Amino acid sequence: MPFATDSRPPDRILKLATIGLAAGAFSGLFGVGGGTVIVPLLIVWFAYGERLATGTSLAAIVPIGAFGALAQGGVYGNVHLLTGVLLAIPALIGVVLGTTIQQRIPQRAVSYLFAALLVGIAIELIIP
């Protein structure tokens, strides 16, 4: 089965809408939202495994990122398109490598690595 499916009762839809709203707000404010918002909330609220949460987040990031870039660039002029393209090219290679690695290590290790990354970034932001 290429895509995981699940039921969508009203409280589930409300939680998904909350995650989406938070991800969109964080994307607009800070340029982040997928990995830092969607993944942890899918794991905590829906008991998704790290791999399913990551894949689901990546699917959501496509329209979030596109709309955010259009709004930041088209409305506010805050996009340097050439830099974005130059970042995207090696990032595509990184996605393939990262996905390959993620599939070969235990999910618990993925969780710990992700948590360590978030803590490290938080420390770097707080202590310049």
Side-chain angles (χ1 to χ4, degrees), residues 65-66 68-74 77-90:
L70 287 171
Q72 285 285 351
N78 293 330
V79 173
H80 191 275
L81 190 57
L82 179 59
T83 300
V85 170
L86 292 175
L87 287 168
I89 293 168

Side-chain angles (χ1 to χ4, degrees), residues 15-113:
K15 284 182 179 179
L16 289 171
T18 301
I19 292 171
L21 181 64
F26 276 78
S27 290
L29 282 169
F30 307 117
V32 300
T36 56
V37 175
I38 296 173
V39 171
L41 290 176
L42 286 176
I43 291 169
V44 171
W45 283 358
F46 295 99
Y48 277 26
E50 286 78 4
R51 291 184 179 110
L52 182 57
T54 301
T56 303
S57 174
L58 288 169
I61 288 172
V62 172
I64 294 169
F67 191 79
L70 287 171
Q72 285 285 351
V75 177
Y76 300 105
N78 293 330
V79 173
H80 191 275
L81 190 57
L82 179 59
T83 300
V85 170
L86 292 175
L87 287 168
I89 293 168
L92 295 173
I93 296 166
V95 164
V96 172
L97 292 173
T99 301
T100 301
I101 293 167
Q102 185 205 47
Q103 297 303 306
R104 288 175 169 71
I105 62 176
Q107 285 195 64
R108 202 64 169 153
V110 175
S111 291
Y112 288 139
L113 289 169

